[in-house]
Amino acid sequence: MENTTLRIHPAIGMARVGNSTDYYLGPETMAASPQKGTVITGGLPIKPGTENTTITSEDLRDDQGRLKRQAARFKIYQYPNETGQVSYPTPGGEEVLIGSVVNGKKVVDIIWTAHLANKKANCWEIDEDANLGIALYKNNEFPPMRNPDFMQTTPQDPKSVDPSDPVRLKNLVIDAGPRTIMASKGSDTPIKFDKKTPATYFDASTGEISEQSNYPIQFPASEGKSKDGSDPISYLGEILTEPNGRLLVLGGYGLAAGFDNEGNYNTAQTLCFDVDNDNWLDDTSDGPITAVIVYEDGSKEPIKGSAWVVATDPAYAPQTLNAVSLWDDIYNTWLENFNLQPEIYRNGTYNENYKPSFNDEVFPTLNASHMQMWNTNLPKQAINGHKRMMTLTEEKPPFDILQYIRNPDGSQDTIGAPLMPLSLGDANQSFLTLSRQQYFFMKQWNKGMSVGAKETVLGAGEQLDKTILVNCLGGRFSPGIDMTFIARDVNLYNENWKDPAIGPFRIDAKTLDYSSANTEKPFLGVGYTPLRSYKVEPGDICKFMSIPWHTDYNSCATHTPAPNPGGKITKENIFSGDVNTTLFWSWPAQRPVAVYTFDDLVSNTDRGELPEQRYSVRGKGTAATEKMHSVGCEKEEKNQFEMKAMNVGRYQNRRNFLTEWVKVGTIIQGPAIKNYPSDFSKDYYLEVESKFDIDESNQVVFWPNVIDDEVYPPKQ
């Protein structure tokens, strides 16, 4: 291909932690989407060493039963550059591999650089009590700072702490620094982001890979012995390549580490909160991905635009589609702020003449509602209603479907059932709503203005951008799993997307001068700040997530709405009828709550019929109690109003999940399960590879559930 520009895809890639050294590749098909030539739907990860062979239940864990990590795979595509400006979608695009020809020159190697960091401990709180998300950063305001008293002898005002203090930047930020790898040499020898491996980068001034011995690699509080789920962190992941030149990025092992007020590793730290826990680190991370093409004639071509990788929680239900995905939130932000597709949205208005594709823009929302049955305790009536949705076509629906869908204009934020989605909201919204463009597409279809299968116009690279984000959580950023409310901030992105070498959905990465690194000074600063025009540094994406991630995952089973439409629930008003005491789900597609297990299915006396459900999190210590009882948190938990039914499906001591997350099973489709009976339904999605030997939680009771429900032991 002649006169081309080069881009890395996906624009944002997702790696996931696991406690195994082994890995599989992240999925490159959209969750729950029909796939040609197979009954198995999209969303399954890929076996390493293959192009697109999906895993089975045998591939989820290694020979020792440890949970495998998910690698993010990055590719390079070349696009014809005829007009000098990009429009979206950009049809075509051809992958560049070793041996490809670009602008008449043969590619003989690819030099990749990645940089991983974690800034969570030196970030602002999510502030669960305020529950305002990004609004906390408006009007030049900030939420309270995490670890406000770090290295201080007296209590500090959390809203006055300076995150740019070099002491904080050195002792509260994990920065592994950059690592560079040549594709021709990297398929057998991974390069680690750890304390011992030197920082390396591509030096554009010399055209060579340089080792930077002066880079201040930082792994604070990393000396000590593991105890009770606290493990010193001295590794964030590694990079390697496929023989054809693609890059693979692996994240950490899912560790959390406690530290004291002087920055020393300390296993005695408490975990009293679901999201913001001071004196803790974890080994999630994020950072930029860059590449340089090496040609046969010896010349090198740096790719102008970068990609980004996020290493985050495991995906325990990879084939379940979120009602609102990360793609929906990011795509909405780009539609409404970057003039991405003026045929859909222009000058503050959606085009009422636009005819959405039923297959691509309507059906996924219907399909997502149907898929929730595999991760929640929906009653049969609701399941049957969702199944009915699956029979609808591009024709105008035979009933007014909008009467069942919550309007995202804010007018129905406090109305629960029967409005959908039947999940909790964020940013001071009691209940989840579709993103605005999702609702617009549904509205057009409801008017009879949808069309069937449009010809696919997304090229393979841009399709990969979309697919990766579709498979991630959106909608409820409190704070979320993969990314959080910053996904809606225009300042996060490179606005120069019409440059053919950039394209849409790119993080606005800061240019990093590694040659200036000094061992005596932290290399990374405060970096990106919401609603400000600051460039994005490594560690800036994950820093707004829960610290450690384990406590948030454990807690987000079911909750009452927050804010509650009737006010805060107290023991005096629970029977008043004014407050909403119904329990709703948080992120069931990412954090399964109630599941059907394969083991129960095959032992069911009614052959092939779905068995009773179990809680996904069900080990010793998950039987619901009147109050959460995390060790050392008596003061913090004393005045919390809780009842047993509010605490089902989770560990009652948050600390337990630091070690028990590796036992949680994964929900995948029946035909992908080893020894799945041929006469069983091909449309079952079942939990496999759980390491909870005995169910010690509670019996799953079909929704609706309320906070004063009785709780019962589970069926054994």
Side-chain angles (χ1 to χ4, degrees):
M1 190 180 291
E2 299 288 341
N3 190 28
T4 65
T5 54
L6 300 165
R7 292 187 232 159
I8 304 169
H9 294 280
I12 303 172
M14 292 289 166
R16 299 188 183 277
V17 300
N19 67 327
S20 172
T21 56
D22 292 348
Y23 67 93
Y24 45 71
L25 308 181
E28 295 180 357
T29 53
M30 290 189 287
S33 62
Q35 301 297 304
K36 292 181 179 180
T38 178
V39 298
I40 297 177
T41 58
L44 279 177
I46 298 168
K47 293 185 178 184
T50 73
E51 182 69 21
N52 52 22
T53 302
T54 53
I55 66 169
T56 68
S57 59
E58 294 182 280
D59 300 308
L60 293 167
R61 296 183 180 272
D62 64 19
D63 293 341
Q64 299 180 47
R66 298 175 301 188
L67 187 66
K68 291 182 182 179
R69 292 177 288 172
Q70 174 180 301
R73 179 160 68 176
F74 290 90
K75 308 175 183 181
I76 297 170
Y77 287 82
Q78 57 178 325
Y79 295 87
N81 183 15
E82 298 173 355
T83 65
Q85 275 204 331
V86 168
S87 60
Y88 183 81
T90 304
E94 178 181 299
E95 187 176 1
V96 175
L97 303 167
I98 292 176
S100 296
V101 175
V102 176
N103 292 326
K105 297 192 291 185
K106 184 178 180 180
V107 176
V108 295
D109 214 337
I110 302 173
I111 301 171
W112 293 94
T113 300
H115 185 159
L116 297 182
N118 178 315
K119 296 182 177 181
K120 286 186 178 184
N122 190 41
C123 187
W124 299 274
E125 292 182 357
I126 303 303
D127 202 345
E128 290 182 274
D129 292 335
N131 191 28
L132 293 174
I134 203 167
L136 291 169
Y137 294 85
K138 289 182 176 179
N139 303 317
N140 206 32
E141 292 289 327
F142 293 91
M145 181 65 64
R146 288 170 173 165
N147 295 295
D149 302 333
F150 183 72
M151 292 282 191
Q152 302 294 322
T153 57
T154 58
Q156 304 294 302
D157 177 3
K159 300 196 74 171
S160 300
V161 173
D162 181 8
S164 66
D165 180 347
V167 173
R168 294 180 64 89
L169 291 174
K170 180 179 180 179
N171 294 281
L172 295 177
V173 173
I174 303 175
D175 179 14
R179 301 290 187 276
T180 298
I181 192 168
M182 295 189 71
S184 61
K185 301 177 182 179
S187 58
D188 298 321
T189 309
I191 297 179
K192 296 181 178 181
F193 293 91
D194 61 9
K195 295 173 68 173
K196 298 179 180 179
T197 305
T200 52
Y201 69 102
F202 177 77
D203 188 340
S205 66
T206 64
E208 302 295 334
I209 296 175
S210 294
E211 180 176 315
Q212 177 48 291
S213 58
N214 289 325
Y215 193 90
I217 293 174
Q218 297 176 182
F219 283 92
S222 57
E223 300 294 333
K225 295 182 179 180
S226 300
K227 182 180 179 182
D228 298 333
S230 178
D231 299 275
I233 296 170
S234 58
Y235 167 94
L236 287 184
E238 57 196 65
I239 52 174
L240 65 159
T241 59
E242 295 180 332
N244 56 18
R246 297 168 178 163
L247 176 71
L248 305 182
V249 184
L250 278 69
Y253 293 124
L255 304 182
F259 61 90
D260 63 23
N261 205 42
E262 284 71 47
N264 302 305
Y265 176 73
N266 188 304
T267 64
Q269 299 303 316
T270 58
L271 287 167
C272 299
F273 303 99
D274 294 334
V275 174
D276 294 302
N277 289 286
D278 288 344
N279 299 99
W280 283 90
L281 304 165
D282 69 29
D283 66 356
T284 59
S285 63
D286 68 87
I289 304 294
T290 58
V292 177
I293 301 293
V294 181
Y295 295 109
E296 191 173 35
D297 63 4
S299 62
K300 298 181 177 71
E301 181 180 0
I303 295 178
K304 182 177 179 180
S306 62
W308 209 269
V309 66
V310 178
T312 185
D313 308 17
Y316 292 107
Q319 290 177 278
T320 306
L321 186 62
N322 286 281
V324 182
S325 71
L326 184 56
W327 164 258
D328 293 317
D329 273 304
I330 291 179
Y331 181 53
N332 180 263
T333 300
W334 278 77
L335 269 181
E336 296 186 0
N337 296 279
F338 291 101
N339 198 30
L340 184 71
Q341 290 178 276
E343 71 275 17
I344 299 176
Y345 183 93
R346 175 183 288 182
N347 298 327
T349 304
Y350 282 95
N351 179 7
E352 294 294 331
N353 295 316
Y354 179 75
K355 296 182 178 181
S357 162
F358 179 80
N359 286 4
D360 293 338
E361 296 169 325
V362 175
F363 177 74
T365 301
L366 303 177
N367 196 13
S369 68
H370 167 64
M371 291 298 296
Q372 303 310 302
M373 68 171 286
W374 302 110
N375 302 344
T376 64
N377 52 321
L378 280 172
K380 288 185 178 180
Q381 180 181 0
I383 291 173
N384 290 335
H386 290 162
K387 285 182 177 179
R388 183 187 176 194
M389 299 292 183
M390 301 298 287
T391 66
L392 301 175
T393 68
E394 68 268 19
E395 300 297 327
K396 180 180 179 179
F399 58 95
D400 180 11
I401 197 168
L402 293 186
Q403 67 179 316
Y404 299 108
I405 300 176
R406 194 171 293 107
N407 194 318
D409 67 1
S411 63
Q412 298 175 322
D413 286 353
T414 61
I415 302 174
L419 297 182
M420 301 289 115
L422 201 60
S423 297
L424 298 169
D426 74 347
N428 215 33
Q429 291 182 326
S430 301
F431 296 100
L432 181 65
T433 68
L434 299 181
S435 61
R436 285 183 292 274
Q437 94 280 353
Q438 279 182 289
Y439 189 82
F440 169 70
F441 295 152
M442 298 296 286
K443 185 175 72 171
Q444 296 299 91
W445 172 55
N446 197 51
K447 293 191 298 186
M449 293 185 64
S450 177
V451 295
K454 288 183 180 177
E455 181 180 352
T456 301
V457 293
L458 285 179
E462 290 184 342
Q463 183 63 56
L464 192 58
D465 291 344
K466 177 179 179 179
T467 295
I468 299 304
L469 299 175
V470 164
N471 293 338
C472 297
L473 171 75
R476 178 166 165 78
F477 292 137
S478 59
I481 284 186
D482 313 292
M483 287 176 62
T484 187
F485 52 79
I486 61 173
R488 302 170 183 151
D489 182 11
V490 296
N491 297 283
L492 185 68
Y493 304 106
N494 189 335
E495 64 180 6
N496 191 29
W497 70 273
K498 291 189 177 182
D499 181 334
I502 305 297
F505 315 122
R506 303 279 164 178
I507 300 298
D508 192 18
K510 180 179 180 179
T511 300
L512 301 173
D513 179 11
Y514 293 119
S515 66
S516 67
N518 184 334
T519 55
E520 301 302 316
K521 179 182 178 181
F523 184 79
L524 299 178
V526 177
Y528 163 80
T529 305
L531 305 184
R532 278 84 167 168
S533 55
Y534 301 152
K535 299 285 187 178
V536 186
E537 293 184 348
D540 279 347
I541 303 297
C542 72
K543 72 184 181 185
F544 297 95
M545 308 303 289
S546 171
I547 183 166
W549 66 266
H550 314 69
T551 52
D552 190 33
Y553 186 97
N554 180 62
S555 76
C556 282
T558 56
H559 299 279
T560 54
N564 196 293
K568 187 176 181 179
I569 299 176
T570 66
K571 61 183 179 181
E572 288 79 19
N573 68 9
I574 59 172
F575 301 113
S576 67
D578 297 327
V579 292
N580 191 330
T581 60
T582 304
L583 296 163
F584 296 86
W585 306 281
S586 288
W587 323 308
Q590 300 292 112
R591 197 286 193 199
V593 179
V595 299
Y596 300 97
T597 78
F598 176 58
D599 289 341
D600 285 341
L601 177 67
V602 295
S603 62
N604 194 0
T605 54
D606 293 327
R607 181 171 175 80
E609 295 297 316
L610 288 174
E612 292 184 22
Q613 289 182 296
R614 297 186 186 275
Y615 285 110
S616 171
V617 178
R618 57 180 183 271
K620 183 178 181 180
T622 59
T625 56
E626 288 287 352
K627 284 185 178 292
M628 296 283 286
H629 49 81
S630 297
V631 175
C633 301
E634 293 78 11
K635 178 181 177 182
E636 288 80 2
E637 296 174 350
K638 180 179 179 181
N639 296 320
Q640 293 179 3
F641 174 77
E642 294 178 355
M643 302 184 77
K644 284 186 178 182
M646 300 170 72
N647 291 328
V648 296
R650 71 204 78 186
Y651 281 94
Q652 308 303 289
N653 178 358
R654 296 178 183 87
R655 183 86 179 221
N656 289 350
F657 200 67
L658 297 187
T659 56
E660 302 304 284
W661 65 273
V662 298
K663 296 181 180 179
V664 176
T666 302
I667 293 86
I668 62 174
Q669 195 174 356
I673 298 173
K674 180 183 178 181
N675 297 327
Y676 190 75
S678 59
D679 59 326
F680 283 12
S681 172
K682 306 297 188 294
D683 296 324
Y684 285 172
Y685 293 78
L686 308 165
E687 183 203 72
V688 292
E689 292 297 325
S690 169
K691 295 302 178 182
F692 295 122
D693 296 328
I694 301 176
D695 186 350
E696 301 190 41
S697 59
N698 298 101
Q699 181 183 5
V700 175
V701 179
F702 285 129
W703 192 88
N705 315 108
V706 293
I707 64 174
D708 60 319
D709 281 347
E710 291 290 331
V711 298
Y712 304 96
K715 175 185 175 182
Q716 296 300 334

